[in-house]
Amino acid sequence: MKNTTKGYSYTLTGRVQKTYKDFFFSVAYTYAQSQNTAEAGSTAGGLWSGRAVKGDPNTPNLANASWYQPHRIVAFASYKLSYAKYFSTTFGAFYEAAPNGVTSYMYSNDFNNDGNINDLIYIPRNQSEINLVKVGSGGLGTGTSSDPRTANQIWAQLNNFISQDKYLNSHRGQVADANAVVFPFFKKLDLNITEDISIKTGKTRHTLRFSWDILNVGNLLNKDWGLLKVPTKSNFLTYEGLSADGKTPSFSFPYLDATNQVPVVNSFSNSTSIGSRWQMQFGFKYLFN
């Protein structure tokens, strides 16, 4: 191993904000780029095996970092309403929109036989550029596999999947790059209402503060809003081995649901994680000064 001068990271942010007597707002946009040659490990072996590769796995190819986020919008605002001498109510809102992450399209088996499952796929332009076989057929195209599809049927499904994917369709005839597939934007709105009740005794001011937070308000209003998108299946091609001639690599396109013979159709699907769910919390504080 040796050091390399490849790799860089930068961010550019533009922000507009304004403060009035009881009102404040801010809107910011960030554009960022981040590329490196190795990551995901604290040892030489981890750095070597943790990176999605194409061609020679020992070549330090420059590619997007796993934390690459090209765009991000953040906006927030607050308004404080004071009344009846001892009471004040503050309304706050926070909005964020950004891609949910990046991923790499890799084969689900060890294509270059180096002991690591980190090989980036070649994106075929047409059926003649890929030898498609049944799932689990060992590269021979026949055998005991329960996959009922013919090679033409498999290609039709694979081609439809490639066509609907913006990155895959625009990079046909190329090997995919690491972390080049950017997830769709997520859009999240959080709201806060804070009520302060203050009493002054002597020189000391006592305040009871009650807060109410609603995270991901959109999902509270509509179950189809505020959802995160994640890859349906980033390793959608499986290397099955060499064909009968001992030279031609064979690949299968596994079902998303083999029991019901449902193919992979969409690149992204809704996440079922807590990030796609609304949350609510209540708070109480006692302040004195």
Side-chain angles (χ1 to χ4, degrees), residues 210-271:
F210 301 90
S211 62
W212 179 32
D213 295 286
I214 306 176
L215 309 180
N216 199 0
V217 175
N219 187 247
L220 173 63
L221 300 176
N222 188 315
K223 67 178 182 178
D224 296 322
W225 295 351
L227 301 177
L228 300 178
K229 295 287 186 178
V230 294
T232 303
K233 195 172 186 180
S234 57
N235 55 344
F236 56 88
L237 282 177
T238 299
Y239 173 58
E240 295 284 354
L242 298 176
S243 60
D245 62 9
K247 299 178 181 179
T248 306
S250 299
F251 304 94
S252 64
F253 181 53
Y255 285 116
L256 179 64
D257 179 357
T259 301
N260 297 300
Q261 298 182 2
V262 178
V264 186
V265 175
N266 298 310
S267 302
F268 297 95
S269 55
N270 294 330
S271 169

Side-chain angles (χ1 to χ4, degrees), residues 58-177:
N58 296 310
T59 300
N61 292 314
L62 193 64
N64 291 337
S66 59
W67 57 86
Y68 171 59
Q69 189 180 65
H71 309 284
R72 185 169 183 246
I73 299 171
V74 173
F76 54 92
S78 66
Y79 175 72
K80 184 176 182 179
L81 176 64
S82 300
Y83 56 96
K85 190 176 181 180
Y86 302 111
F87 302 90
S88 67
T89 304
T90 302
F91 303 92
F94 178 87
Y95 176 80
E96 181 181 11
N100 189 39
V102 295
T103 192
S104 304
Y105 283 140
M106 298 182 291
Y107 296 117
S108 61
N109 279 341
D110 183 10
F111 177 59
N112 62 0
N113 199 31
D114 67 350
N116 299 305
I117 303 178
N118 62 344
D119 304 305
L120 293 161
I121 69 166
Y122 173 77
I123 308 165
R125 284 173 288 203
N126 49 58
Q127 189 174 357
S128 67
E129 292 192 337
I130 185 170
N131 184 39
L132 291 169
V133 297
K134 298 176 183 291
V135 175
S137 63
L140 301 178
T142 57
T144 60
S145 173
S146 59
D147 188 344
R149 298 171 295 180
T150 65
N152 288 339
Q153 290 172 328
I154 298 172
W155 167 251
Q157 293 177 354
L158 174 59
N159 188 50
N160 288 338
F161 178 74
I162 293 174
S163 296
Q164 63 81 45
D165 186 288
K166 181 179 179 180
Y167 178 80
L168 291 173
N169 196 49
S170 62
H171 289 80
R172 287 178 183 261
Q174 304 173 29
V175 177
D177 290 315

